[in-house]
Amino acid sequence: MLLDERGVSTLSNLPTADFTFDPYQPGACVAGLRPYRTKSYRLDGEELGDKLVVHNYGHGGGGITLSWGCAAKVRDMVLRHRIQNETTEREVAVLGAGVMGLTAATLLLDLGLDVTIYFDRKPVETTSYKAGGQWAVSLLEYSKDFAKVQELQYILRTAYTMFKASIGKGFGVSEVDNYSVNATSGIEVVHDLVPGLLPQREYLKRLPFEGHDTSGYRYRTLLVEPPIFIPRLERDLKARGVTFVNRRFINSADVLTSLTQKTIINCTGLGAKDLWNDSDMLPLRGQLAMLRPQPNLEYLYGQNGYLFPRNDHVIIGGTVEETCDETFDPERCRELVEYMAGAFGQRPPVPMPEFHIHHPRNERLVDPRLSISL
Ligand SMILES: Cc1cc2nc3c(=O)[nH]c(=O)nc-3n(C[C@H](O)[C@H](O)[C@H](O)COP(=O)(O)OP(=O)(O)OC[C@H]3O[C@@H](n4cnc5c(N)ncnc54)[C@H](O)[C@@H]3O)c2cc1C
């Protein structure tokens, strides 16, 4: 990077978004519930009678990011169980058609298994389809137990490598700069856990944007666009013979008695709260404002909230609210846009709406140093 004699970036400003936004236009606002699990995401197997159930849910604000890595762990667990039990049956049931179910199904097919996906919501209606799509580990609890940390390192390495290998192949994945005012903990955690996986962050004495005279950081990470990625996974699975069955399960007994498959992969996200009676699951709502697509914007930006330019929209988000109400509030989305426009000097500065939430045990869940939460 070019610096002047004071060490200040000589980069000229990058383009500013057009913040024109009418929250009452159809499709202008979106809300989704992150499947947050208070102790840690769940990735383990249990034998129930003659069935193996592998759980893969509770990935909070990082499910897209971790998906391929968790899918690889699911595949390995199923393979090990098959070898140990000398199983020849090929039928597998995957519960859930979000990113966790679709990626797990993809890698199980590679074992030569016959996969059926059961879902209550089809892929384009899932939380996964609504996600922003930055490759970062946000709003995710994980166990600090040594073996679990090693597992997460494997997941991150595998997921990043697979996403990176799919750039330019129609999966909606690209490598992007992310500028942020404060250190972005969702990316910092990757640097801490797997040093060298992502390019090093760069400290900038001034962020190269209109309205900014503050220092910040430039990260290099991936953007995974769910409106491209999720339908692509679904198409590929169907082309490889996977059947999708619309079926809502009421509880674990319903799953175990009604399915004939002896291997069941539980990727039901927030649904696992009721389905598997998991009281550690907590819905964290995120609201997004969807602005018109702006191909001249080629960077992600974060300052409490975030701005992600994608092919379908420029999205502005970052709110975190503990509620099971999945509806959006147009006025809240308008505030999000006003806030972001203020950060770029396009409007008078206003505070970020409803960013911080509190854990039921009254601990602050969102680190106050966070610049981005997803
Ligand atoms: C606003 C927002 C922004 C986000 N941004 C990012 C981001 O930038 N990066 C990132 O990595 N992550 C992000 N996330 C998080 C990410 O979306 C989730 O972690 C991820 O989508 C979880 O995937 P999943 O497959 O577990 O769940 P889901 O996508 O919710 O899929 C669950 C599936 O299980 C099915 N199911 C549930 N219960 C039942 C039942 N009883 N019977 C039958 N089927 C059932 C559902 O119908 C659905 O098909 C964001 C989330 C939100 C809300």
Side-chain angles (χ1 to χ4, degrees):
M1 149 158 313
L2 293 174
L3 302 176
D4 69 12
E5 66 283 358
R6 293 163 302 146
V8 175
S9 165
T10 56
L11 275 184
S12 54
N13 285 339
L14 293 172
T16 300
D18 172 358
F19 291 102
T20 308
F21 179 66
D22 175 0
Y24 294 96
Q25 281 293 314
C29 304
V30 165
L33 301 179
R34 303 173 183 90
Y36 178 78
R37 192 160 183 265
T38 52
K39 290 191 186 113
S40 169
Y41 60 91
R42 185 162 187 202
L43 184 57
D44 57 40
E46 57 177 336
E47 287 186 42
L48 296 168
D50 63 348
K51 309 223 175 198
L52 168 71
V53 180
V54 178
H55 301 283
N56 181 24
Y57 64 83
H59 302 89
I64 302 287
T65 303
L66 302 180
S67 58
W68 282 124
C70 292
K73 290 299 290 184
V74 168
R75 175 200 59 204
D76 295 348
M77 274 187 246
V78 169
L79 181 60
R80 199 175 320 117
H81 187 266
R82 289 176 68 77
I83 292 169
Q84 279 165 1
N85 293 276
E86 298 178 2
T87 310
T88 51
E89 278 186 51
R90 289 156 40 112
E91 281 76 31
V92 177
V94 172
L95 313 185
V99 71
M100 291 299 163
L102 299 178
T103 51
T106 301
L107 297 193
L108 289 169
L109 282 183
D110 295 344
L111 297 180
L113 301 176
D114 294 334
V115 180
T116 304
I117 297 181
Y118 298 87
F119 64 93
D120 181 23
R121 291 181 184 200
K122 56 186 176 196
V124 296
E125 292 169 351
T126 60
T127 302
S128 302
Y129 190 79
K130 298 176 183 175
Q134 181 179 215
W135 200 87
V137 180
S138 300
L139 290 171
L140 179 90
E141 290 300 322
Y142 60 93
S143 163
K144 310 299 181 284
D145 172 81
F146 182 65
K148 281 290 176 187
V149 169
Q150 279 192 317
E151 176 187 273
L152 184 54
Q153 290 168 328
Y154 169 86
I155 289 169
L156 289 169
R157 228 179 276 118
T158 307
Y160 183 75
T161 308
M162 289 186 67
F163 275 121
K164 196 143 183 213
S166 68
I167 291 176
K169 296 181 181 163
F171 286 87
V173 183
S174 53
E175 194 163 25
V176 284
D177 285 334
N178 172 341
Y179 292 90
S180 69
V181 176
N182 303 309
T184 300
S185 71
I187 302 182
E188 291 292 329
V189 74
V190 180
H191 285 303
D192 288 347
L193 284 166
V194 195
L197 184 65
L198 292 171
Q200 263 312 316
R201 73 167 186 210
E202 212 178 326
Y203 174 73
L204 306 177
K205 289 210 168 168
R206 177 189 168 265
L207 286 167
F209 300 108
E210 205 176 340
H212 288 70
D213 54 10
T214 52
S215 62
Y217 299 94
R218 177 164 59 182
Y219 294 88
R220 192 96 179 130
T221 187
L222 304 177
L223 180 66
V224 182
E225 303 195 31
I228 301 174
F229 183 54
I230 298 293
R232 170 65 190 263
L233 292 175
E234 182 185 9
R235 271 200 312 278
D236 286 357
L237 287 166
K238 285 183 173 163
R240 293 175 74 185
V242 170
T243 311
F244 283 69
V245 178
N246 185 190
R247 159 95 205 255
R248 176 175 177 75
F249 296 94
I250 298 158
N251 52 33
S252 55
D254 184 19
V255 172
L256 295 170
T257 54
S258 63
L259 289 178
T260 54
Q261 294 94 335
K262 299 240 172 4
T263 304
I264 297 165
I265 318 298
N266 176 16
C267 303
T268 49
L270 202 53
K273 185 178 178 63
D274 294 332
L275 192 60
W276 232 261
N277 209 11
D278 188 338
S279 57
D280 290 330
M281 290 298 294
L282 201 66
L284 297 183
R285 180 171 65 183
Q287 302 200 44
L288 299 173
M290 317 293 273
L291 278 59
R292 68 168 181 84
Q294 300 173 38
N296 63 328
L297 303 181
E298 294 178 340
Y299 58 84
L300 309 185
Y301 172 89
Q303 182 182 351
N304 292 325
Y306 57 73
L307 176 141
F308 296 168
R310 301 194 315 210
N311 279 287
D312 61 330
H313 293 100
V314 169
I315 64 170
I316 297 179
T319 62
V320 186
E321 303 153 271
E322 190 190 321
T323 172
C324 52
D325 177 359
E326 204 174 354
T327 50
F328 56 78
D329 173 351
E331 287 309 314
R332 177 76 52 216
C333 292
R334 188 203 297 279
E335 286 171 33
L336 263 173
V337 176
E338 292 298 306
Y339 163 77
M340 196 55 78
F344 283 82
Q346 304 286 302
R347 311 264 202 288
V350 288
M352 168 74 179
E354 269 188 52
F355 174 53
H356 296 300
I357 58 154
H358 292 269
H359 194 271
R361 289 189 304 274
N362 228 9
E363 294 159 5
R364 186 182 279 275
L365 182 64
V366 179
D367 186 326
R369 291 168 307 135
L370 271 185
S371 68
I372 296 187
S373 83
L374 301 166

